[in-house]
Amino acid sequence: MKTIILTGATGFLGSYLAKSFVSDGYKVIILKRRRSNLQRLTEIENKVVFYNLEELELSNPFREHGPISVVVHAATCYGRSGETAREIFDANTSFPLKLLEESLRHKVDTFINIDTILDPLLNAYALSKTNFTEWGKLLSESKEIRFMNIKLEHMYGPGDDAKKFTTWIVQRCLNNTPEIDLTLGEQQRDFIFISDVGDAMILLLKHTSKFSLGFHNVDLGSGISISLRDFVEKVHQLTSSKSKLNFGAYEYRKYEIMKSCSNIEQLKALGWKCHIDLNKGLQQMIEFENNSVSSANK
């Protein structure tokens, strides 16, 4: 049985990965904050090992559960809850750098980092993620570890955080918010459903040996991009919303990426493909949100 250390397991993506890893027979060691909400992990809570970072000597899980085959770093701080630049840096650069150094020290075979496609100058989150990726490039030059940098596109799905754009627009359209202010929406984005992300990650774990030691960028998206305006109008139509969409109410952010679309040939060569198209994925999100409202009203 291979052992995986996973960060970010209480979040949307991390919890999905944790359950997928357990289901696929991996031993999963989760590094979390003491006050993290374990609600997303209820069904596997007794099947994984938890460490609280505030009480942890970072080398302990490596020594106590080694050898560790893979470290998957899915934790992130977006800065959406008022975190300072230093707090964002600590979460997205300093902490994973320490984790990478421990991985090298304990001869871990593969370090998988969930990265962003955003311009590093867009905000502190994007800059701090890029900072760590550059450290990954530098430290993996020794060829003593395989650093797989996952360039994740715009992931979405039922149960994602309400502050994420996809969930935010679905909820507002369902609630018939009188007016929804937006940019012109010309930005092209590649939307990928959560289960397709999970399938890709499991496949990569099974085929790490096909990647040499050192640094590798791996694009992860659907391979199809649409404009945000088309995306919003699709949500508006599927929800039969009465909301007024005010395109052009906001200016574009400085350093906004205007077109993003992943090259998925690398993943397709391993046998992966998307199973959930945008219509099907949005319908699942809308059904989930409707059920959540119904349950709350009981």
Side-chain angles (χ1 to χ4, degrees):
M1 178 185 293
K2 289 187 176 181
T3 302
I4 294 175
I5 288 180
L6 173 64
T7 71
T10 58
F12 178 56
L13 172 60
S15 62
Y16 193 95
L17 294 180
K19 287 178 277 192
S20 297
F21 296 161
V22 168
S23 177
D24 222 49
Y26 292 96
K27 179 179 179 181
V28 180
I29 314 298
I30 290 174
L31 308 185
K32 68 176 187 68
R33 297 293 180 187
R34 186 189 301 114
R35 296 180 180 177
S36 296
N37 187 337
L38 301 182
Q39 184 177 358
R40 285 188 167 117
L41 300 174
T42 302
E43 64 191 81
I44 62 166
E45 196 169 344
N46 297 323
K47 299 177 182 179
V48 299
V49 178
F50 291 103
Y51 283 90
N52 291 329
L53 289 168
E54 297 88 345
E55 306 156 0
L56 177 65
E57 175 64 43
L58 199 51
S59 64
N60 286 356
F62 292 89
R63 289 188 286 101
E64 295 170 5
H65 298 278
I68 305 298
S69 303
V70 181
V71 171
V72 178
H73 176 54
T76 197
C77 175
Y78 293 103
R80 294 173 178 151
S81 298
E83 294 90 350
T84 65
R86 173 59 65 87
E87 288 170 330
I88 295 170
F89 174 83
D90 286 344
N92 296 339
T93 307
S94 182
F95 165 65
L97 179 55
K98 293 175 185 175
L99 190 60
L100 177 56
E101 288 179 325
E102 287 296 335
S103 299
L104 282 162
R105 188 171 295 117
H106 292 274
K107 302 189 183 305
V108 172
D109 180 71
T110 303
F111 191 106
I112 298 179
N113 176 52
I114 308 298
D115 197 10
T116 179
I117 52 91
L118 298 176
D119 188 296
L121 294 181
L122 180 66
N123 54 33
Y125 157 74
L127 179 59
S128 61
K129 293 293 287 184
T130 301
N131 285 162
F132 176 62
T133 298
E134 293 302 315
W135 278 108
K137 286 181 183 178
L138 179 65
L139 295 188
S140 62
E141 283 183 357
S142 64
K143 305 300 181 184
E144 294 177 1
I145 197 168
R146 182 181 296 104
F147 190 101
M148 299 176 68
N149 193 57
I150 311 301
K151 304 291 288 186
L152 182 60
E153 291 284 344
H154 210 115
M155 178 184 62
Y156 72 105
D160 201 355
D161 296 334
K163 292 180 181 179
K164 297 282 189 68
F165 175 75
T166 48
T167 306
W168 179 85
I169 195 66
V170 167
Q171 289 179 346
R172 272 152 184 75
C173 283
L174 280 172
N175 292 336
N176 292 308
T177 302
E179 296 192 20
I180 303 174
D181 291 340
L182 303 150
T183 67
L184 283 174
E186 298 165 307
Q187 312 96 306
Q188 297 278 324
R189 290 291 181 269
D190 181 339
F191 293 91
I192 180 168
F193 196 71
I194 179 65
S195 61
D196 285 323
V197 174
D199 290 347
M201 292 295 292
I202 288 291
L203 191 66
L204 286 169
L205 283 178
K206 291 178 178 178
H207 293 287
T208 54
S209 62
K210 294 184 179 180
F211 295 81
S212 61
L213 295 176
F215 183 88
H216 301 272
N217 269 324
V218 180
D219 282 6
L220 180 48
S222 69
I224 301 170
S225 62
I226 70 167
S227 72
L228 288 186
R229 181 170 188 137
D230 286 346
F231 175 86
V232 171
E233 289 177 341
K234 186 181 290 288
V235 172
H236 193 264
Q237 178 185 8
L238 289 171
T239 56
S240 300
S241 180
K242 296 180 175 60
S243 299
K244 180 184 177 184
L245 304 176
N246 293 329
F247 290 107
Y250 292 129
E251 298 290 330
Y252 293 126
R253 297 176 296 180
K254 191 176 181 180
Y255 302 111
E256 181 77 85
I257 292 177
M258 294 307 293
K259 182 165 185 178
S260 182
C261 186
S262 60
N263 181 346
I264 57 175
E265 293 306 312
Q266 194 173 28
L267 285 170
K268 286 170 68 176
L270 297 177
W272 176 86
K273 65 177 181 178
C274 276
H275 291 96
I276 308 294
D277 65 23
L278 188 56
N279 280 331
K280 187 175 181 180
L282 286 175
Q283 286 166 355
Q284 289 190 32
M285 280 190 73
I286 292 165
E287 182 180 358
F288 175 87
E289 293 296 335
N290 277 327
N291 289 340
S292 297
V293 171
S294 298
S295 298
N297 291 335
K298 287 182 180 179

